[in-house]
Amino acid sequence: MSTIRIIVLAPGMNELAVCARWRAETFSVLNASAADELASLEAFVADPSDQVGLMAMHDGEPAGTALLVRSEIAPVHDVTPWLAGLYVAPAHRRHGVGATLVGAIEDLARQRGHRRLFLYTTDAADYYQRLGWGIVDRTRWNGADTVLMAIDL
């Protein structure tokens, strides 16, 4: 049976470089190199007051990442906090890694006293709905049809 372990990212961790590479390759909206994204992640995890970066380890291998953030990049909606940057490496998809990361971010938001959590997606609304999230609004964001979703915590 496979195991999924969630680790909280902290400055100086080797796992940050893996997350930075994934984010630079996957999220074109960031318009950042892996080196730029590594610097950004280092600064992000250095301030854990109301934000956190997670990595999922699946059978001992880096498998995915997600962030709890105060605000989304150039948001159209003035709400907080956000689940952002969910990514699961292709070899680890369909093993529960994404759902585990989403659940961990929800738990962290709840522990910080938040009653609702938000996210934007352009192509995964069905996935998040299966996890209990609801559609709040549809909008055009950065040139893409985008869905604002939320979950009550």
Side-chain angles (χ1 to χ4, degrees), residues 63-116:
T65 187
L67 305 175
L68 174 66
V69 300
R70 289 182 203 103
S71 63
E72 187 55 283
I73 299 168
V76 175
H77 301 88
D78 186 21
V79 293
T80 194
W82 295 83
L83 163 65
L86 176 66
Y87 174 80
V88 178
H92 299 279
R93 293 179 184 161
R94 303 203 179 279
H95 295 282
V97 173
T100 300
L101 281 164
V102 170
I105 293 291
E106 291 170 359
D107 288 345
L108 287 167
R110 191 178 298 108
Q111 290 166 14
R112 286 169 166 74
H114 298 290
R115 295 183 180 186
R116 201 161 204 218

Side-chain angles (χ1 to χ4, degrees), residues 2-9 13-16 18-19 22 54-66 87-88 92 95-98 100-101:
S2 65
T3 59
I4 300 168
R5 184 173 58 93
I6 301 296
I7 60 173
V8 176
L9 297 170
M13 292 178 76
N14 292 334
E15 290 84 359
L16 285 173
V18 174
C19 292
W22 286 338
L54 301 179
M55 176 181 265
M57 303 295 288
H58 181 225
D59 292 337
E61 295 180 20
T65 187
Y87 174 80
V88 178
H92 299 279
H95 295 282
V97 173
T100 300
L101 281 164

Side-chain angles (χ1 to χ4, degrees), residues 41-63:
L41 282 173
E42 285 280 357
F44 178 85
V45 300
D47 176 16
S49 58
D50 201 28
Q51 58 190 24
V52 66
L54 301 179
M55 176 181 265
M57 303 295 288
H58 181 225
D59 292 337
E61 295 180 20

Side-chain angles (χ1 to χ4, degrees), residues 27-48:
F27 303 115
S28 60
V29 69
L30 297 175
N31 196 28
S33 68
D36 292 340
E37 192 56 24
L38 178 58
S40 177
L41 282 173
E42 285 280 357
F44 178 85
V45 300
D47 176 16

